[in-house]
Structures are given as structure tokens and as C-alpha cells.
């Protein structure tokens, strides 16, 4: 990918018509806070644009690479033109730049971040190590972000709506059973549990679920095993093979020795 900083330094700032600029389809942000856009619009009205938008030229105008919040604020002010830098990026480079910039700005919600990282891997073939390097983060940081995508769409919406933290979400992931996880999420929201209390709840539910599973496991007794063994010996003998067996009982164990001939001829000679 090209160095966007060097590219910017070489390019002049141009005033481009807003009507000629299309939004970037690879924008990782799905939700824009309207109050924040209005505040940004007020700032632009008073102080102007501190930073120009970055676009690339396409067949029917320009496509936004970075600066969608500024573009939306300009639209809020009914502006017709905005200051822009034209970057000679390809479609793939533009998409990657848009995602990386949003991740660096750290103003995406936790699930938008995870989806953006997933897009870099699936669409742009970057490895977790490469993404970590570009974000100056550890690989474990990237891996933990991706784990958040194990939560369903509905679970994500509840988490965001109730302003739960990433640590709340990561604790919930430890519950693999959908019904138990839904129960936990409901309890967290209704009781307003902090992260520490949430982790305690998750630990308890995991332990309870483990004990329930162990109770449900069929417990075969030694006597039922011995009965099965006797039936198996009987079946072998009914086929014409003579089985010799010896059983020794003690307080700690039962020792059974079986001698089974390899052929009926061996049975007749014994």
C-alpha cells in the first residue's frame, strides 16, 4: 500500500463539489452518532476544516477514502464544496486505507473494529501479524478482537444498546451454549453488573453447566459391564469356540483372564 502521508504532502488541497464525491463502500463504520456530527458541523462553521478529506478519482467523480464524518458535517451545513486531497490509490488500496484509518482513530464500536479487522483478512488478504504491525498492536490484541464476532447479531445489539464494555463481551464468549449465554446477558443487563461481577456470574454458570453435563453422563456399573462380557463370551462359544476364563475377586478389583482359541480346530484339540 502506498504511503498516504507522503502522498498527501505531494498533493495540493482542492475544493471539490460535494455532489461529485461518493461514500466509500468499504467504510467500516456502520453507525454515525448524529449528535457528534452536529458538534463537528458547529466546529467547522466556526473554525473551518482543520484537516481536508482524502479522495480518489473514479470514472464518475471522486470516491471518499477518509473523512466521512467531515463530509456528513459539511452536508449538515448545506455546504456545496469541501477541501480535498486527491490520492492516486487503487480500489483495493482505498478500501484498505479507509479501514486502517478508522481503526487507528479508535472511534469505531467494538464490533465495527472486529468486522473491520475481519475484512482486512478476508478481502485484503492481510495476516493477523500484518494488521497488528500496522496498528502498532500485538497479535493477541487482534485475535481477541476477532473473537467478539462469535457473538450473534442480536447479542451485539444488546451489548451496544446497554453500553456494555468489550470485557463484558469477552466474558460472555466463554459461554458456548446459546441459551445459557442469553440468560447471562439478560442478567448482566437487568442487574447492571460490572465486569468483575459479570466474570463471577460466567464462572458460576460454566461450573453449573459442567456439573449438569456430568450428571447426565450415563454411569455404567461394573456389574453391567460384567454382564455384557458374559454375553459376549456366550456368543463366542455358541459359534463353536471354547473360551476358557478365570476370575479373581479382591477388595480392590476384579481380575478376569480369557483364553480364546484362534480356530475351531484349536478348540477341538484343547
Amino acid at each position: 500500500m502506498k504511503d498516504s502521508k507522503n502522498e498527501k504532502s505531494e498533493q495540493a488541497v482542492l475544493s471539490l463539489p460535494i455532489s461529485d464525491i461518493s461514500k466509500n463502500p468499504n467504510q467500516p463504520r456502520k453507525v454515525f452518532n448524529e449528535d457528534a456530527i452536529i458538534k463537528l458541523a458547529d466546529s467547522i462553521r466556526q473554525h473551518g476544516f482543520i484537516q481536508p478529506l482524502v479522495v480518489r478519482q473514479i470514472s464518475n467523480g471522486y470516491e471518499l477514502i477518509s473523512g466521512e464524518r467531515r463530509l456528513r458535517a459539511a452536508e449538515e451545513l448545506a455546504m456545496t464544496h469541501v477541501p480535498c486531497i486527491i490520492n492516486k490509490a487503487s480500489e483495493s488500496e482505498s478500501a484498505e486505507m479507509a479501514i486502517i484509518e478508522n481503526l487507528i482513530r479508535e472511534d469505531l464500536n467494538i464490533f465495527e473494529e472486529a468486522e473491520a479487522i475481519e475484512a482486512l483478512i478476508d478481502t485484503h488478504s492481510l495476516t493477523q501479524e500484518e494488521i497488528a504491525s500496522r496498528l502498532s498492536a500485538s497479535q493477541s490484541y487482534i485475535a481477541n478482537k476477532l473473537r467478539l464476532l462469535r457473538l450473534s447479531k442480536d447479542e451485539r445489539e444488546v451489548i451496544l444498546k446497554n453500553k456494555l464494555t468489550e470485557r463484558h463481551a469477552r466474558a460472555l464468549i466463554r459461554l458456548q451454549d446459546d441459551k445459557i449465554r442469553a440468560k447471562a446477558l439478560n442478567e448482566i443487563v437487568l442487574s447492571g453488573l460490572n465486569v468483575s461481577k459479570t466474570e463471577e456470574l460466567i464462572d458460576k454458570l460454566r461450573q453449573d453447566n459442567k456439573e449438569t453435563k456430568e450428571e447426565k453422563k450415563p454411569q455404567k456399573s461394573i456389574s453391567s459391564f460384567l454382564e455384557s462380557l458374559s454375553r459376549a463370551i456366550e456368543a463366542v462359544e455358541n459359534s463353536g469356540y471354547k473360551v476358557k476364563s478365570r476370575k479373581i475377586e479382591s477388595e480392590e478389583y476384579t481380575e478376569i483372564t480369557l483364553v480364546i482359541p484362534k480356530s475351531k480346530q484349536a478348540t477341538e484339540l484343547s
Side-chain angles (χ1 to χ4, degrees):
M1 186 177 72
K2 296 177 182 178
D3 187 331
S4 60
K5 291 184 179 179
N6 291 339
E7 187 76 25
K8 287 180 184 180
S9 66
E10 297 172 2
Q11 297 284 334
V13 177
L14 305 176
S15 179
L16 299 179
I18 288 179
S19 58
D20 289 351
I21 302 173
S22 59
K23 305 283 197 312
N24 192 322
N26 296 287
Q27 162 66 256
R29 178 182 293 281
K30 302 296 185 292
V31 179
F32 288 83
N33 185 300
E34 291 300 323
D35 290 339
I37 295 296
I38 291 172
K39 287 182 181 178
L40 180 56
D42 287 339
S43 175
I44 291 173
R45 182 189 291 113
Q46 295 179 48
H47 308 292
F49 284 87
I50 297 175
Q51 185 177 12
L53 287 68
V54 180
V55 299
R56 72 184 188 97
Q57 197 156 12
I58 55 177
S59 59
N60 59 343
Y62 302 91
E63 182 181 87
L64 192 65
I65 294 178
S66 66
E68 184 162 345
R69 291 177 70 253
R70 280 164 278 160
L71 181 60
R72 286 174 179 262
E75 291 172 335
E76 181 74 25
L77 294 170
M79 297 176 67
T80 59
H81 289 68
V82 286
C84 297
I85 290 174
I86 300 176
N87 190 304
K88 296 178 181 179
S90 66
E91 181 178 357
S92 176
E93 289 171 331
S94 171
E96 186 180 325
M97 289 165 63
I99 294 171
I100 291 291
E101 187 200 34
N102 274 276
L103 285 169
I104 291 174
R105 285 180 178 275
E106 297 182 343
D107 56 358
L108 302 175
N109 69 51
I110 59 175
F111 300 115
E112 287 174 337
E113 288 179 342
E115 289 167 353
I117 291 170
E118 185 180 50
L120 288 173
I121 294 171
D122 293 345
T123 306
H124 303 285
S125 302
L126 295 184
T127 64
Q128 289 189 27
E129 293 88 344
E130 289 171 331
I131 297 170
S133 176
R134 297 190 188 199
L135 298 179
S136 299
S138 65
Q139 188 181 347
S140 61
Y141 171 88
I142 301 300
N144 282 330
K145 291 289 184 183
L146 290 171
R147 290 177 65 238
L148 296 174
L149 299 179
R150 296 179 187 176
L151 296 170
S152 70
K153 181 180 178 181
D154 289 342
E155 289 168 335
R156 298 177 202 178
E157 289 178 355
V158 172
I159 288 169
L160 293 176
K161 180 180 178 180
N162 292 278
K163 298 181 179 179
L164 300 181
T165 69
E166 181 172 338
R167 288 183 63 190
H168 281 99
R170 285 168 60 180
L172 278 166
I173 293 169
R174 295 168 57 207
L175 295 171
Q176 297 182 6
D177 187 285
D178 294 345
K179 292 181 180 179
I180 296 176
R181 194 165 61 240
K183 176 183 176 181
L185 182 54
N186 186 58
E187 175 66 20
I188 293 165
V189 171
L190 290 179
S191 302
L193 300 184
N194 59 25
V195 173
S196 178
K197 292 296 183 183
T198 293
E199 290 175 341
E200 288 179 11
L201 172 65
I202 299 302
D203 287 339
K204 181 179 184 304
L205 289 172
R206 279 167 55 87
Q207 183 60 36
D208 291 346
N209 189 41
K210 179 181 177 183
E211 291 174 353
T212 301
K213 285 182 178 179
E214 288 177 349
E215 288 173 2
K216 289 181 179 179
K217 285 182 181 178
Q219 301 294 327
K220 290 189 175 181
S221 64
I222 294 298
S223 60
S224 63
F225 171 74
L226 293 176
E227 288 176 11
S228 298
L229 183 58
S230 296
R231 287 195 296 270
I233 293 173
E234 185 179 350
V236 172
E237 290 183 330
N238 289 339
S239 298
Y241 294 85
K242 186 177 180 182
V243 179
K244 293 181 179 180
S245 63
R246 183 180 66 177
K247 182 167 70 173
I248 301 175
E249 296 279 2
S250 72
E251 292 183 1
E252 297 181 356
Y253 58 83
T254 299
E255 179 181 336
I256 299 175
T257 303
L258 298 177
V259 178
I260 304 174
K262 294 184 177 180
S263 67
K264 292 182 181 180
Q265 183 180 7
T267 296
E268 294 169 356
L269 293 175
S270 62

